[in-house]
Amino acid sequence: MPVNKKTPVPNGTSNGTLNGIPKQNTKPNDTHTSSATKPRQTYFSGRFRALFALTFLGALSAAVRLSSHASGTYALCSQDGNHIYTVDANNTKVQCVVVRDSHILGTGSLSDVKGRWGTSPFLETVAQILSHSKFRVQYIPSGSIIVPGISDSHGHILEYGASQELPLEGTPTIPDTVTRVRQFILDNPDVLNDKTKWIRGGGWDHTIWPSSSWPSAAELDADPLIRGRPIVLQSKDCHALWVSAEAMKLSAPFPDAVEGGVIVRDESGQPTGVFLDNAQDLIKQPELTEDDLRRRFHLAVNHAHARGLTSIHDAGLDPMSLAFFRKQASNGVLPIRIYGMRYFNENQPYWGNTTQIIIGKDNDRLTARSVKIFADGALRTGGAALYEPYHDNPETPGFMRLDPDILFDVIPKFLRDGWQVNVHAIGDRANGLVLDAFEASLKGANVTALRPRLEHAQMMTRADMRRLGRLGVIASVQPTHAISDMWYAEDRLGPERVKLLYAFRSIIDSGAKITLGSDFPVESMNPLSAFYAAVTRVSPDGKSPHGPEGWFPEERLSRIEALRGMTIDPAYASFTEDILGSIEIGKRADLTILSQDVMSVPCNTILDTKVVATIIDGKVVYGEL
C-alpha cells in the first residue's frame, strides 16, 4: 500500500520506507511494472538522490580543491586602504597578502582576495570538515602596516644575551657603573655566596663619562663586596674589556705588547685593567656552559621577536657559537633565521678549503657561508686605522688588527673556495686597504656570485666611496652608530675628516649597495631605531650637533631606502633575495606588523611605533592576530 502524502509515517517503520524515503522494489516479478504505475515518491526520490549525488560530488570536488590550499591559508588585510608595503621592484603597496602554510600565496585588494580564495558558506563548511581548517580574512588594526619580515644585517646574538644579564648601558659615571655591579652581586645569591664565580657584564661607555678617561681595576676593587672577585665588563663597542684585579691575576702573565691590541698601563708600566681589541683575548675566562649559551640565546631571540626581527646576520661566530647554533638547529627548527659569519683567526691555518659551507634550505634556518675578518678596531676606543693621526690624540693614527698582507693572502682564497668575505673596517685607512685587497681579488670575477661586504664602512675617502660602487662591494652600515658617535666625532677627527664619517647618501650615490643593521648589543636591537637614525640623523629627543635638521642632513636616507635596507637589501646581502625580503608570491611568509605607518608619520613619532605581530613562515612568533 503506497504511503499517503497526507499520512505521516515514523522513520524506520516496516512499511517499505527507510528514514521516510520509500524503498526501491527489487523483486524480479516487478520488472514489468511501468514507471507510470510506480509509487510517485519512489520516482522523485530517485531523481532527488541522483541530483543530490551530483551536487555533492561537485561540492566535494570543489571542497577538495579549496582544502588543498585552505589548510593553513589566510589573508591579512587592511580595512582602510593599501597599507602593506611589498618592497618589490616597484615598491608596490597592496591591501591584502595571502599566506598558505609557510609561503606567500598572493597579494591584492580585498575584493580580489575574496574572489580568488573565498567561496560559498556551504563549500567552506565542507572544506572545513575535510581539512579541519578554512580560509579566513584577518584584518590588521586600524592605522597599522605590514612590511616584509625585518632583518638586522649585523648583530651578535649570544653577546646580546650576555649584555642583558648585567647591562651597563647608560651609566653616567664610573662610580655608577661600579654600583650597578655591586647590585648585581646582591641580587644573585649564587654569585654573592661564591667569590670564585666569574661576573660578566657589558655596555659601559667611557665617552659619556665626565672625564672620558679609561676606568681601572682599582675602581672596581675599591668596593669591598666586589674586591677579590673575577669581573669582566665589555665596553659598549665591544672593543675593550674592563676587568678586576682578580681577573688579571688569573690571566697573568701578560706580554709587553700585543699586535693589533693595547694593554692600557699606568706610569709604572703596570696594567690598569683595560684591554683593547686583540688584547682582550689575554683575559682567560672560563668556558661557557650549555646552560649559559641556551639562556643567552633564548633571551636574545625573545627580544628580537618583540622588535619585529625575523632574521639576523650574526657577525662573527666563533667555533663555540657556531657549534651551539648547529646543535639548536639539529634539535628542531630554529626560532629565528640566522645568517652566520664564521670568525677568522689569522693565527690559525687557512680553513676555507676544508670547512663545509652551511646553506639553510626550506625549514633549515641556519646558514654559515661567509667569513668575518677584522681589519681594525673602533673609533670610540681610538683603534680605528686612519691615514692621519687622531685630531684629539696626535700621537697615533690608530692601528690595524692584522697585517695588511694577510688580507691580500686570504681574501682571494676564501672567494675562490666559495665563501662570502665580510671585513670589519672602520677608519679610512682600513677601508682603503680592504678595498685594495678586494680589487686585487675580484679581477675577472662575478661579483654578484660572491657579494663581498664591508662591515661598518664607517669612514672612507670620496675616491674609495666611488671605488666601492665600481667594485660592487656591499656596505653593511649601522645608522644608530651615527647618532651615537656624532657628539664626539668631530673632536676625534677634526672638522674636515668628520664629513667622511657615516656618509650614507654619498655611498649610495656612488652606486654602492647598502644593507642596514644595528651591531647590537653595541646599539639598540630595535630596527626602528636604525630606521629613525637613517632618515633623521638626530638623537631620539630630536637633537644633533648641527641642530634639529640633523647631523650632516645631506647624508640622510629616504624612508623607502631605509625600509629596503632592512628587508630586501639584507636578503641580497645574504643570498636569500629569492625567498626573503619582499612580499611576493612564492617567498617565505616572514612579515612584521607595525602599529603605525612609519613611512608617513611625523619623524618625531617614529619611535613611538610598536610591533603588533612578528610572523615567521606564516606563524605568529610574537604578538597576536
Side-chain angles (χ1 to χ4, degrees), residues 8 50 65 162 187 222 310 362 398 423 594:
R65 290 195 301 273
D187 291 343
T310 60
D362 299 324
V423 186
L594 302 175

Side-chain angles (χ1 to χ4, degrees), residues 44-303:
F44 282 108
S45 176
R47 290 191 63 183
F48 173 77
R49 285 188 296 174
L51 180 61
F52 177 81
L54 289 173
T55 303
F56 179 78
L57 288 173
L60 179 64
S61 175
V64 169
R65 290 195 301 273
L66 173 66
S67 66
S68 69
H69 67 69
S71 180
T73 303
Y74 61 89
L76 292 176
C77 299
S78 56
Q79 299 184 62
D80 50 356
N82 296 337
H83 296 304
I84 298 175
Y85 290 83
T86 67
V87 196
D88 63 6
N90 298 314
N91 295 314
T92 307
K93 294 168 61 180
V94 296
Q95 187 176 12
C96 298
V97 54
V98 181
V99 174
R100 174 186 175 184
D101 297 328
S102 59
H103 289 78
I104 294 169
L105 188 58
T107 60
S109 68
L110 181 58
S111 59
D112 289 340
V113 165
K114 286 184 174 180
R116 292 183 63 189
W117 289 282
T119 185
S120 69
F122 172 70
L123 291 181
E124 285 189 356
T125 300
V126 176
Q128 189 172 14
I129 293 172
L130 292 172
S131 64
H132 305 291
S133 67
K134 63 185 286 188
F135 174 75
R136 69 187 190 279
V137 174
Q138 178 71 46
Y139 296 102
I140 62 176
S142 178
S144 60
I145 65 169
I146 301 177
V147 299
I150 299 175
S151 295
D152 191 310
S153 293
H154 188 113
H156 304 273
I157 297 171
L158 296 178
E159 291 79 359
Y160 176 88
S163 73
Q164 297 304 298
E165 293 177 335
L166 173 50
L168 304 174
E169 182 87 16
T171 52
T173 66
I174 291 176
D176 285 314
T177 312
V178 174
T179 298
R180 195 171 292 187
V181 176
R182 174 187 175 84
Q183 191 61 49
F184 174 82
I185 296 171
L186 291 173
D187 291 343
N188 292 271
D190 59 326
V191 177
L192 178 64
N193 298 322
D194 183 359
K195 290 195 68 171
T196 68
K197 197 173 186 69
W198 284 69
I199 298 171
R200 300 178 174 95
W204 58 269
D205 181 3
H206 71 292
T207 67
I208 67 172
W209 295 339
S211 63
S212 296
S213 60
W214 295 117
S216 68
E219 286 162 309
L220 283 172
D221 294 326
D223 187 306
L225 184 64
I226 294 175
R227 190 181 308 127
R229 298 176 186 269
I231 297 174
V232 179
L233 308 176
Q234 184 83 63
S235 66
K236 175 179 171 64
D237 63 6
C238 296
H239 285 264
L241 290 181
W242 172 19
V243 305
S244 64
E246 182 67 13
M248 285 196 290
K249 176 183 174 183
L250 295 173
S251 303
F254 301 119
D256 293 334
V258 179
E259 185 174 355
V262 173
I263 302 172
V264 178
R265 301 177 184 271
D266 60 21
E267 294 179 355
S268 65
Q270 295 301 309
T272 64
V274 173
F275 296 75
L276 307 180
D277 289 301
N278 288 351
Q280 296 176 99
D281 297 335
L282 299 175
I283 302 302
K284 300 171 184 176
Q285 304 180 54
E287 290 291 326
L288 295 170
T289 67
E290 188 76 9
D291 285 342
D292 291 331
L293 297 173
R294 192 180 299 109
R295 183 180 65 253
R296 294 177 177 185
F297 177 62
H298 288 298
L299 190 155
V301 170
N302 288 340
H303 283 204

Side-chain angles (χ1 to χ4, degrees), residues 1-9 15-17 22 39 41:
M1 175 179 174
V3 178
N4 191 305
K5 291 176 67 178
K6 296 182 180 179
T7 305
V9 178
N15 65 346
T17 68
Q41 272 69 20

Side-chain angles (χ1 to χ4, degrees), residues 160 299-310 312 336 525 614:
Y160 176 88
L299 190 155
V301 170
N302 288 340
H303 283 204
H305 286 166
R307 289 155 179 77
L309 290 172
T310 60
I312 296 171
I336 198 164
M525 182 189 274
T614 305

Side-chain angles (χ1 to χ4, degrees), residues 301-373:
V301 170
N302 288 340
H303 283 204
H305 286 166
R307 289 155 179 77
L309 290 172
T310 60
S311 175
I312 296 171
H313 299 189
D314 197 296
L317 297 180
D318 59 27
M320 177 191 63
S321 299
L322 181 57
F324 173 77
F325 288 144
R326 295 190 74 168
K327 184 174 181 179
Q328 298 306 300
S330 67
N331 291 336
V333 177
L334 284 173
I336 198 164
R337 301 189 195 282
I338 300 176
Y339 183 77
M341 309 177 198
R342 291 177 184 262
Y343 178 74
F344 172 75
N345 186 336
E346 65 271 21
N347 297 316
Q348 295 177 350
Y350 174 74
W351 46 261
N353 57 344
T354 58
T355 302
Q356 181 183 7
I357 289 174
I358 302 170
I359 299 179
K361 294 182 178 179
D362 299 324
N363 291 326
D364 186 354
R365 296 174 180 171
L366 176 64
T367 292
R369 61 178 296 172
S370 62
V371 58
K372 166 78 175 296
I373 301 173

